[in-house]
Amino acid sequence: MRSTSAIRGRSVRGLLIQGLPAVAAALALAGCSSAAPAPEVAGSDRGGPVTPQDDNAVRRAWVDCMHKQGQTGVEQDKDGNIGFPAASTDTGMPSGYDAASRLCDEKVPGIHQVQKADNAKFVEMGRKWVECARKNGYSDMPDPDPEDGVVIIPRAVFDAAKWDAVVRACEAKFPLPGYRIGE
């Protein structure tokens, strides 16, 4: 004859083994439906409406950062566009510009989205300016770069007299695009 404690021990153990998956499922479901707040993520406004990035404020922060790095030739115009110092045909950008730009790109991460949005506008502005330059005597003016609108004029075809004439003729109609001479 079996003892009742042995029978009870087996039945309790059997109940535990059989009920374990049901208990685990119940705990998992309870965890998913808890009232705990969702974790904060970048860009969230605690569940409220998303506020669009203020592109002008991002540009201003980047320009301010560049000034703090000694790059005072970088300016923001009344329309919010960022102007850069002209690169020398011999030495390129001013000393320290590249390092300052990399640092400010990191400190003001929104500048990358602003630049991408601005590039289409700059390409169109560059195309209009180049068209004007060609109509006003600089027929071999190269097309602007299709990615960022910068006009790159090879040193071999750069003509300072033509350049000065088209700048005077076109700057009143179209803003001068970004440009580099000597590549």
Side-chain angles (χ1 to χ4, degrees):
M1 170 171 221
R2 289 184 165 175
S3 79
T4 53
S5 65
I7 295 173
R8 281 189 197 141
R10 281 189 194 147
S11 58
V12 169
R13 203 173 314 133
L15 284 174
L16 283 175
I17 291 172
Q18 290 174 349
L20 192 56
V23 170
L27 287 174
L29 289 173
C32 289
S33 63
S34 74
E40 291 288 326
V41 294
S44 75
D45 198 13
R46 297 187 178 218
V50 176
T51 2
Q53 172 175 287
D54 180 352
D55 290 351
N56 198 42
V58 171
R59 287 186 200 99
R60 182 79 251 149
W62 192 84
V63 168
D64 289 345
C65 178
M66 291 295 283
H67 285 191
K68 289 177 186 169
Q69 301 306 312
Q71 300 300 316
T72 55
V74 177
E75 293 295 333
Q76 187 175 14
D77 69 16
K78 63 181 175 53
D79 297 323
N81 299 315
I82 297 174
F84 300 92
S88 163
T89 57
D90 297 322
T91 60
M93 294 301 278
S95 175
Y97 176 85
D98 290 333
S101 179
R102 281 191 301 276
L103 177 74
C104 293
D105 286 355
E106 288 178 23
K107 287 187 172 190
V108 186
I111 195 68
H112 298 290
Q113 290 84 6
V114 171
Q115 286 171 336
K116 285 180 183 174
D118 287 347
N119 281 349
K121 176 176 75 171
F122 294 143
V123 168
E124 186 57 31
M125 287 168 43
R127 286 180 179 146
K128 288 180 180 177
W129 194 89
V130 165
E131 182 181 342
C132 178
R134 289 174 180 161
K135 288 178 182 176
N136 284 282
Y138 211 134
S139 60
D140 54 349
M141 175 70 65
D143 288 331
D145 183 290
E147 295 293 317
D148 60 13
V150 173
V151 178
I152 302 170
I153 306 167
R155 185 182 297 199
V157 298
F158 179 73
D159 182 322
K162 283 185 187 177
W163 177 259
D164 290 342
V166 297
V167 166
R168 282 191 302 277
C170 298
E171 73 180 344
K173 301 173 195 168
F174 307 105
L176 182 66
Y179 65 92
R180 289 193 301 270
I181 300 169
E183 292 181 20

Short mmCIF file of all heavy atoms in Angstrom, two decimals, residues 132-172:
data_model
loop_
_atom_site.label_atom_id
_atom_site.label_comp_id
_atom_site.label_asym_id
_atom_site.label_seq_id
_atom_site.Cartn_x
_atom_site.Cartn_y
_atom_site.Cartn_z
N CYS A 132 22.84 82.54 -66.18
CA CYS A 132 23.05 83.98 -66.30
C CYS A 132 24.50 84.29 -66.69
O CYS A 132 24.76 85.12 -67.56
CB CYS A 132 22.68 84.67 -64.99
SG CYS A 132 22.95 86.45 -65.00
N ALA A 133 25.44 83.59 -66.06
CA ALA A 133 26.86 83.83 -66.36
C ALA A 133 27.16 83.51 -67.82
O ALA A 133 27.89 84.25 -68.49
CB ALA A 133 27.73 82.97 -65.44
N ARG A 134 26.60 82.43 -68.32
CA ARG A 134 26.83 82.05 -69.72
C ARG A 134 26.25 83.09 -70.68
O ARG A 134 26.85 83.43 -71.70
CB ARG A 134 26.23 80.67 -69.99
CG ARG A 134 27.02 79.55 -69.33
CD ARG A 134 26.34 78.22 -69.49
NE ARG A 134 27.09 77.16 -68.85
CZ ARG A 134 26.59 75.99 -68.52
NH1 ARG A 134 25.31 75.72 -68.78
NH2 ARG A 134 27.33 75.09 -67.94
N LYS A 135 25.08 83.62 -70.34
CA LYS A 135 24.45 84.65 -71.19
C LYS A 135 25.22 85.97 -71.14
O LYS A 135 25.09 86.79 -72.05
CB LYS A 135 23.01 84.90 -70.75
CG LYS A 135 22.07 83.78 -71.10
CD LYS A 135 20.67 84.07 -70.60
CE LYS A 135 19.70 82.94 -70.91
NZ LYS A 135 18.36 83.19 -70.34
N ASN A 136 26.01 86.16 -70.11
CA ASN A 136 26.73 87.42 -69.93
C ASN A 136 28.23 87.31 -70.19
O ASN A 136 29.02 88.07 -69.63
CB ASN A 136 26.47 87.98 -68.53
CG ASN A 136 25.10 88.60 -68.43
OD1 ASN A 136 24.88 89.72 -68.87
ND2 ASN A 136 24.15 87.85 -67.88
N GLY A 137 28.63 86.35 -71.02
CA GLY A 137 30.01 86.33 -71.48
C GLY A 137 30.91 85.24 -70.93
O GLY A 137 32.06 85.12 -71.37
N TYR A 138 30.48 84.44 -70.01
CA TYR A 138 31.34 83.36 -69.49
C TYR A 138 30.75 82.04 -69.99
O TYR A 138 30.22 81.23 -69.24
CB TYR A 138 31.37 83.39 -67.97
CG TYR A 138 32.67 82.91 -67.36
CD1 TYR A 138 33.27 83.61 -66.34
CD2 TYR A 138 33.29 81.74 -67.79
CE1 TYR A 138 34.46 83.18 -65.76
CE2 TYR A 138 34.47 81.31 -67.23
CZ TYR A 138 35.05 82.03 -66.22
OH TYR A 138 36.22 81.59 -65.65
N SER A 139 30.89 81.83 -71.33
CA SER A 139 30.23 80.70 -71.98
C SER A 139 30.72 79.33 -71.54
O SER A 139 29.98 78.35 -71.61
CB SER A 139 30.37 80.82 -73.50
OG SER A 139 31.74 80.83 -73.85
N ASP A 140 31.95 79.24 -71.04
CA ASP A 140 32.46 77.95 -70.61
C ASP A 140 32.34 77.74 -69.09
O ASP A 140 33.04 76.90 -68.52
CB ASP A 140 33.89 77.73 -71.09
CG ASP A 140 34.84 78.84 -70.68
OD1 ASP A 140 34.37 79.89 -70.20
OD2 ASP A 140 36.06 78.66 -70.84
N MET A 141 31.43 78.48 -68.47
CA MET A 141 31.17 78.30 -67.03
C MET A 141 30.62 76.88 -66.83
O MET A 141 29.64 76.51 -67.46
CB MET A 141 30.17 79.34 -66.54
CG MET A 141 29.74 79.18 -65.10
SD MET A 141 31.01 79.55 -63.89
CE MET A 141 31.26 81.28 -64.16
N PRO A 142 31.23 76.07 -65.97
CA PRO A 142 30.75 74.70 -65.78
C PRO A 142 29.44 74.65 -65.00
O PRO A 142 29.09 75.58 -64.28
CB PRO A 142 31.88 74.04 -64.98
CG PRO A 142 32.62 75.16 -64.34
CD PRO A 142 32.43 76.37 -65.21
N ASP A 143 28.70 73.55 -65.20
CA ASP A 143 27.46 73.34 -64.45
C ASP A 143 27.76 73.19 -62.97
O ASP A 143 28.83 72.70 -62.59
CB ASP A 143 26.76 72.06 -64.94
CG ASP A 143 26.16 72.21 -66.32
OD1 ASP A 143 25.78 73.34 -66.68
OD2 ASP A 143 26.07 71.20 -67.02
N PRO A 144 26.80 73.54 -62.12
CA PRO A 144 27.01 73.31 -60.68
C PRO A 144 26.95 71.81 -60.37
O PRO A 144 26.35 71.03 -61.12
CB PRO A 144 25.85 74.05 -60.03
CG PRO A 144 24.80 74.13 -61.08
CD PRO A 144 25.52 74.17 -62.39
N ASP A 145 27.58 71.44 -59.28
CA ASP A 145 27.55 70.05 -58.83
C ASP A 145 26.09 69.66 -58.56
O ASP A 145 25.37 70.39 -57.88
CB ASP A 145 28.37 69.92 -57.54
CG ASP A 145 28.46 68.50 -57.06
OD1 ASP A 145 27.43 67.98 -56.59
OD2 ASP A 145 29.55 67.92 -57.14
N PRO A 146 25.62 68.53 -59.09
CA PRO A 146 24.22 68.15 -58.92
C PRO A 146 23.85 67.74 -57.49
O PRO A 146 22.67 67.64 -57.16
CB PRO A 146 24.05 66.97 -59.89
CG PRO A 146 25.41 66.43 -60.08
CD PRO A 146 26.35 67.59 -59.94
N GLU A 147 24.84 67.54 -56.64
CA GLU A 147 24.57 67.15 -55.25
C GLU A 147 24.38 68.35 -54.34
O GLU A 147 23.51 68.35 -53.47
CB GLU A 147 25.70 66.27 -54.71
CG GLU A 147 25.83 64.94 -55.41
CD GLU A 147 24.64 64.03 -55.16
OE1 GLU A 147 24.18 63.96 -54.00
OE2 GLU A 147 24.17 63.40 -56.13
N ASP A 148 25.23 69.38 -54.50
CA ASP A 148 25.18 70.49 -53.55
C ASP A 148 25.12 71.88 -54.20
O ASP A 148 25.05 72.88 -53.51
CB ASP A 148 26.37 70.44 -52.59
CG ASP A 148 27.72 70.50 -53.29
OD1 ASP A 148 27.78 70.83 -54.49
OD2 ASP A 148 28.74 70.23 -52.62
N GLY A 149 25.15 71.95 -55.53
CA GLY A 149 25.02 73.22 -56.22
C GLY A 149 26.29 74.05 -56.30
O GLY A 149 26.28 75.16 -56.82
N VAL A 150 27.41 73.52 -55.82
CA VAL A 150 28.67 74.27 -55.85
C VAL A 150 29.22 74.26 -57.28
O VAL A 150 29.24 73.23 -57.94
CB VAL A 150 29.70 73.66 -54.87
CG1 VAL A 150 31.07 74.30 -55.02
CG2 VAL A 150 29.20 73.79 -53.44
N VAL A 151 29.66 75.42 -57.73
CA VAL A 151 30.28 75.55 -59.05
C VAL A 151 31.78 75.40 -58.87
O VAL A 151 32.40 76.14 -58.12
CB VAL A 151 29.94 76.91 -59.70
CG1 VAL A 151 30.64 77.04 -61.05
CG2 VAL A 151 28.44 77.08 -59.85
N ILE A 152 32.33 74.41 -59.55
CA ILE A 152 33.77 74.16 -59.46
C ILE A 152 34.40 74.57 -60.79
O ILE A 152 34.11 73.98 -61.83
CB ILE A 152 34.06 72.68 -59.14
CG1 ILE A 152 33.39 72.30 -57.83
CG2 ILE A 152 35.57 72.43 -59.09
CD1 ILE A 152 33.39 70.82 -57.53
N ILE A 153 35.22 75.62 -60.74
CA ILE A 153 35.81 76.18 -61.96
C ILE A 153 37.27 75.75 -62.02
O ILE A 153 38.07 76.14 -61.16
CB ILE A 153 35.71 77.72 -61.96
CG1 ILE A 153 34.25 78.14 -61.73
CG2 ILE A 153 36.25 78.28 -63.27
CD1 ILE A 153 34.09 79.60 -61.41
N PRO A 154 37.63 74.94 -63.02
CA PRO A 154 39.03 74.54 -63.14
C PRO A 154 39.94 75.76 -63.32
O PRO A 154 39.59 76.71 -64.02
CB PRO A 154 39.05 73.66 -64.40
CG PRO A 154 37.64 73.21 -64.57
CD PRO A 154 36.80 74.34 -64.04
N ARG A 155 41.07 75.71 -62.66
CA ARG A 155 42.01 76.83 -62.72
C ARG A 155 42.41 77.14 -64.16
O ARG A 155 42.57 78.30 -64.53
CB ARG A 155 43.24 76.51 -61.89
CG ARG A 155 44.22 77.66 -61.80
CD ARG A 155 45.43 77.31 -61.02
NE ARG A 155 45.03 77.00 -59.64
CZ ARG A 155 45.85 77.00 -58.62
NH1 ARG A 155 47.12 77.27 -58.80
NH2 ARG A 155 45.43 76.72 -57.42
N ALA A 156 42.49 76.11 -65.00
CA ALA A 156 42.92 76.29 -66.39
C ALA A 156 41.96 77.16 -67.20
O ALA A 156 42.37 77.82 -68.14
CB ALA A 156 43.09 74.93 -67.06
N VAL A 157 40.67 77.17 -66.83
CA VAL A 157 39.71 77.96 -67.60
C VAL A 157 39.20 79.19 -66.82
O VAL A 157 38.39 79.94 -67.35
CB VAL A 157 38.49 77.11 -68.06
CG1 VAL A 157 38.95 76.00 -68.97
CG2 VAL A 157 37.71 76.60 -66.89
N PHE A 158 39.71 79.40 -65.62
CA PHE A 158 39.25 80.55 -64.84
C PHE A 158 39.79 81.84 -65.46
O PHE A 158 40.96 81.97 -65.74
CB PHE A 158 39.69 80.45 -63.38
CG PHE A 158 39.26 81.63 -62.56
CD1 PHE A 158 37.93 81.80 -62.21
CD2 PHE A 158 40.17 82.60 -62.17
CE1 PHE A 158 37.51 82.90 -61.47
CE2 PHE A 158 39.77 83.70 -61.43
CZ PHE A 158 38.44 83.84 -61.07
N ASP A 159 38.88 82.79 -65.65
CA ASP A 159 39.24 84.09 -66.22
C ASP A 159 38.71 85.16 -65.27
O ASP A 159 37.49 85.37 -65.17
CB ASP A 159 38.62 84.23 -67.61
CG ASP A 159 38.98 85.53 -68.30
OD1 ASP A 159 39.06 86.59 -67.62
OD2 ASP A 159 39.16 85.49 -69.53
N ALA A 160 39.59 85.83 -64.56
CA ALA A 160 39.20 86.79 -63.53
C ALA A 160 38.37 87.94 -64.10
O ALA A 160 37.40 88.39 -63.46
CB ALA A 160 40.44 87.33 -62.82
N ALA A 161 38.70 88.42 -65.30
CA ALA A 161 37.95 89.53 -65.90
C ALA A 161 36.52 89.08 -66.22
O ALA A 161 35.55 89.80 -65.94
CB ALA A 161 38.66 90.03 -67.15
N LYS A 162 36.37 87.90 -66.81
CA LYS A 162 35.03 87.39 -67.09
C LYS A 162 34.26 87.18 -65.79
O LYS A 162 33.07 87.48 -65.71
CB LYS A 162 35.11 86.04 -67.82
CG LYS A 162 35.45 86.11 -69.29
CD LYS A 162 35.35 84.66 -69.83
CE LYS A 162 35.82 84.50 -71.22
NZ LYS A 162 35.76 83.09 -71.65
N TRP A 163 34.96 86.63 -64.80
CA TRP A 163 34.32 86.36 -63.51
C TRP A 163 33.76 87.64 -62.91
O TRP A 163 32.59 87.70 -62.51
CB TRP A 163 35.31 85.71 -62.55
CG TRP A 163 34.76 85.47 -61.19
CD1 TRP A 163 34.96 86.22 -60.07
CD2 TRP A 163 33.88 84.41 -60.79
NE1 TRP A 163 34.27 85.70 -59.00
CE2 TRP A 163 33.60 84.58 -59.42
CE3 TRP A 163 33.30 83.35 -61.46
CZ2 TRP A 163 32.77 83.72 -58.70
CZ3 TRP A 163 32.49 82.48 -60.75
CH2 TRP A 163 32.23 82.68 -59.39
N ASP A 164 34.58 88.67 -62.85
CA ASP A 164 34.14 89.94 -62.28
C ASP A 164 32.94 90.51 -63.04
O ASP A 164 32.00 91.03 -62.44
CB ASP A 164 35.28 90.97 -62.27
CG ASP A 164 36.37 90.61 -61.27
OD1 ASP A 164 36.11 89.78 -60.37
OD2 ASP A 164 37.50 91.13 -61.41
N ALA A 165 32.95 90.39 -64.37
CA ALA A 165 31.85 90.91 -65.19
C ALA A 165 30.55 90.16 -64.91
O ALA A 165 29.49 90.78 -64.76
CB ALA A 165 32.22 90.83 -66.67
N VAL A 166 30.60 88.83 -64.83
CA VAL A 166 29.36 88.08 -64.62
C VAL A 166 28.87 88.21 -63.19
O VAL A 166 27.66 88.20 -62.95
CB VAL A 166 29.46 86.59 -65.04
CG1 VAL A 166 29.73 86.47 -66.51
CG2 VAL A 166 30.46 85.83 -64.22
N VAL A 167 29.77 88.38 -62.25
CA VAL A 167 29.32 88.59 -60.87
C VAL A 167 28.51 89.88 -60.80
O VAL A 167 27.43 89.92 -60.22
CB VAL A 167 30.51 88.60 -59.88
CG1 VAL A 167 30.09 89.14 -58.53
CG2 VAL A 167 31.10 87.20 -59.74
N ARG A 168 29.03 90.96 -61.42
CA ARG A 168 28.29 92.23 -61.43
C ARG A 168 26.96 92.10 -62.17
O ARG A 168 25.94 92.63 -61.75
CB ARG A 168 29.14 93.34 -62.06
CG ARG A 168 30.19 93.91 -61.15
CD ARG A 168 30.84 95.17 -61.72
NE ARG A 168 31.47 94.98 -63.03
CZ ARG A 168 32.69 94.50 -63.22
NH1 ARG A 168 33.42 94.15 -62.19
NH2 ARG A 168 33.19 94.38 -64.43
N ALA A 169 26.96 91.36 -63.28
CA ALA A 169 25.74 91.23 -64.09
C ALA A 169 24.69 90.32 -63.44
O ALA A 169 23.50 90.55 -63.61
CB ALA A 169 26.10 90.69 -65.48
N CYS A 170 25.12 89.33 -62.70
CA CYS A 170 24.17 88.31 -62.23
C CYS A 170 23.82 88.39 -60.75
O CYS A 170 22.76 87.89 -60.35
CB CYS A 170 24.73 86.91 -62.52
SG CYS A 170 24.96 86.59 -64.28
N GLU A 171 24.65 89.01 -59.95
CA GLU A 171 24.38 88.96 -58.51
C GLU A 171 23.12 89.70 -58.09
O GLU A 171 22.51 89.35 -57.08
CB GLU A 171 25.59 89.44 -57.70
CG GLU A 171 25.85 90.91 -57.74
CD GLU A 171 27.07 91.29 -56.91
OE1 GLU A 171 27.51 90.48 -56.09
OE2 GLU A 171 27.57 92.41 -57.11
N ALA A 172 22.69 90.68 -58.87
CA ALA A 172 21.45 91.38 -58.54
C ALA A 172 20.23 90.51 -58.82
O ALA A 172 19.20 90.65 -58.17
CB ALA A 172 21.36 92.69 -59.32
#
